[in-house]
Amino acid sequence: MKQQSTNSSSQWNKTRFSSRIGIEYPIIQGPLGGLSTQRLTATVSNFGGLGSFGAHGLTPSAIKDVIDEIRALTSKPFAINLWVSMEDEGARSSGSEAFSRSLAPLAGHIHALGGTLPTFKPYVPIKFEDQVRVLLDAKVPVFSFIVGVPPREILDECRAQKILTIGTATTPDEAIVLEQADVDIIVASGFEAGGHRGSFLFPAEESLTGTFSLVPQVADAVSVPVIAAGGIADARGIVAAFALGAEGVQIGTAFLACDESGASALHRNAILTGKAGRTGLTKGFTGRLARGVQNQLLEELNRPGVEILPYPLQRFLVRNLVTLAEENRNPELLQLWAGQSANLSRQTDATALLQTLTSEVSAMADRVLSWNRHPDSQSLR
């Protein structure tokens, strides 16, 4: 791994990643899936980090509107995040009988909350290629992605358009594949992360490597800048990530707790009041393995014998209950996405969070990071 050296602790933020993107601080705000907002993205970018917007569930026309709105709020670099793999096997052939079986564990809750049971509707896919076409035409500064590697022609056009690419790896082997595809920057996402991590070479259940183990292995395996993600919520996590070989960090849950995010008040409250101490992995929320706060919904959907529809059909199905639960202010029946360090979240304002992170890392740099500059040290080089 080749990491840019620094001459003083105050320069901790000067890495190949921050230089390549053109930002002041090597901090990415996690895309947050359907809970990202234009306001949060712009706030992080305006501060000097890299704001991100998770657009995988949006139509191409909606993505174009999002990009226009972000550009109206910031002139700084930002990232749009997509999922390369938009559906799981069986999504297009799944029928009404499977729908009814998967609806069964939700039906009682929907009735109890005063809702009407949804009816089966054939799946209408959104194509990744159509989504990414909007990004290319708009010449977004950064295109980030999970769950695979885009086709070669897309990556070639990104390079021609000077659009930087950030791919996500959950194993060292995935990182190697991303570098071989000439992806510019790689996020090493540990299993502590909230939401979906985006494994693509092997099933997510077989790719559960923790951040502390994953980051140094990925840093040793590739030559491009590595970003640490998963369980990073404060300055200690950032410093640890740099010590492990990262040149930046991606933070999700701590930004999810901020007022600027698209998370509901109930969701933010769960993160900020110590109720997110127990998290768990489930396919029940969307059909793909993801981490959220342990609550009644997660536990019920994880019970043996519960039938889960392929992604994204399960996501569409569960949304019927979650919308009602939100209206009835019942957090036990919500998808409360959160990583394992959720209880470290303290800030409700994104700018204040960034100010705290950057100032505390700078204060810790002399004490913790100075060893990296010792002439006899071979680590992190």
Side-chain angles (χ1 to χ4, degrees):
M1 183 201 68
K2 301 175 183 177
Q3 177 162 333
Q4 179 174 313
S5 62
T6 57
N7 295 319
S8 67
S9 61
S10 63
Q11 298 297 302
W12 66 269
N13 55 313
K14 305 300 181 184
T15 68
R16 288 185 302 161
F17 164 64
S18 59
S19 176
R20 189 86 185 269
I21 300 292
I23 56 178
E24 186 173 356
Y25 299 104
I27 298 174
I28 302 176
Q29 163 246 317
L32 306 182
L35 300 178
S36 50
T37 67
Q38 295 89 324
R39 179 186 172 202
L40 177 59
T41 302
T43 296
V44 174
S45 290
N46 283 331
F47 186 87
L50 183 67
S52 301
F53 190 101
H56 72 276
L58 300 182
T59 63
S61 61
I63 294 174
K64 182 182 183 303
D65 290 341
V66 164
I67 294 170
D68 290 342
E69 290 164 12
I70 293 173
R71 281 184 161 145
L73 297 171
T74 184
S75 60
K76 301 292 185 66
F78 63 90
I80 299 294
N81 181 270
L82 297 177
W83 291 21
V84 179
S85 169
M86 296 288 290
E87 61 190 47
D88 286 342
E89 184 178 355
R92 301 197 185 202
S93 59
S94 184
S96 59
E97 292 183 0
F99 176 86
S100 297
R101 291 193 297 270
S102 297
L103 175 60
L106 308 176
H109 295 307
I110 292 175
H111 282 309
L113 295 174
T116 302
L117 295 183
T119 57
F120 172 76
K121 295 179 181 178
Y123 169 53
V124 179
I126 299 174
K127 295 180 63 176
F128 165 75
E129 291 79 7
D130 293 340
Q131 292 179 317
V132 79
R133 184 72 257 163
V134 177
L135 274 57
L136 293 168
D137 291 344
K139 296 181 173 59
V140 296
V142 181
F143 166 37
S144 67
F145 51 87
I146 68 171
V147 205
V149 184
R152 169 62 65 177
E153 57 269 22
I154 289 176
L155 294 175
D156 287 345
E157 187 166 354
C158 285
R159 280 185 287 277
Q161 302 268 29
K162 298 188 178 348
I163 297 172
L164 292 174
T165 53
I166 301 179
T168 299
T170 63
T171 66
D173 286 341
E174 289 179 349
I176 292 169
V177 170
L178 288 166
E179 182 176 45
Q180 290 173 342
D182 294 327
V183 172
D184 295 309
I185 295 154
I186 296 173
V187 172
S189 182
F191 89 126
E192 300 92 331
H196 303 84
R197 293 169 55 246
S199 303
F200 62 92
L201 286 185
F202 295 99
E205 295 87 345
E206 299 175 19
S207 307
L208 298 177
T209 305
T211 304
F212 205 83
S213 176
L214 179 64
V215 171
Q217 292 186 67
V218 171
D220 285 350
V222 301
S223 61
V224 299
V226 173
I227 308 302
I232 300 170
D234 60 14
R236 293 170 296 181
I238 295 174
V239 172
F242 273 77
L244 294 171
E247 297 190 48
V249 297
Q250 179 169 287
I251 297 174
T253 304
F255 282 111
L256 194 61
C258 295
D259 293 336
E260 294 92 340
S261 84
S264 68
L266 291 174
H267 195 161
R268 295 196 303 272
N269 184 68
I271 295 171
L272 292 164
T273 58
K275 298 175 183 177
R278 289 181 62 240
T279 64
L281 295 169
T282 184
K283 280 189 169 183
F285 287 170
T286 68
R288 284 182 175 173
L289 196 69
R291 183 176 297 280
V293 177
Q294 286 276 6
N295 63 2
Q296 182 180 352
L297 180 61
L298 187 147
E299 291 172 1
E300 289 183 358
L301 292 176
N302 273 358
R303 288 174 181 168
V306 172
E307 185 166 333
I308 305 300
L309 294 171
Y311 181 88
L313 306 187
Q314 182 74 11
R315 176 172 168 249
F316 298 152
L317 175 64
V318 174
R319 187 182 297 166
N320 291 278
L321 172 58
V322 169
T323 300
L324 285 169
E326 181 63 43
E327 292 172 356
N328 285 270
R329 301 190 59 76
N330 185 342
E332 286 299 315
L333 298 177
L334 293 178
Q335 300 160 316
L336 298 175
W337 306 114
Q340 288 189 323
S341 295
N343 278 354
L344 296 177
S345 300
R346 301 285 185 271
Q347 299 286 348
T348 60
D349 179 84
T351 299
L353 171 60
L354 287 161
Q355 289 171 337
T356 299
L357 292 173
T358 54
S359 64
E360 289 185 355
V361 171
S362 295
M364 294 171 68
D366 274 329
R367 186 172 73 253
V368 182
L369 296 178
S370 59
W371 64 271
N372 185 35
R373 301 189 302 276
H374 192 284
D376 295 329
S377 174
Q378 297 303 307
S379 299
L380 299 185
R381 296 191 176 188

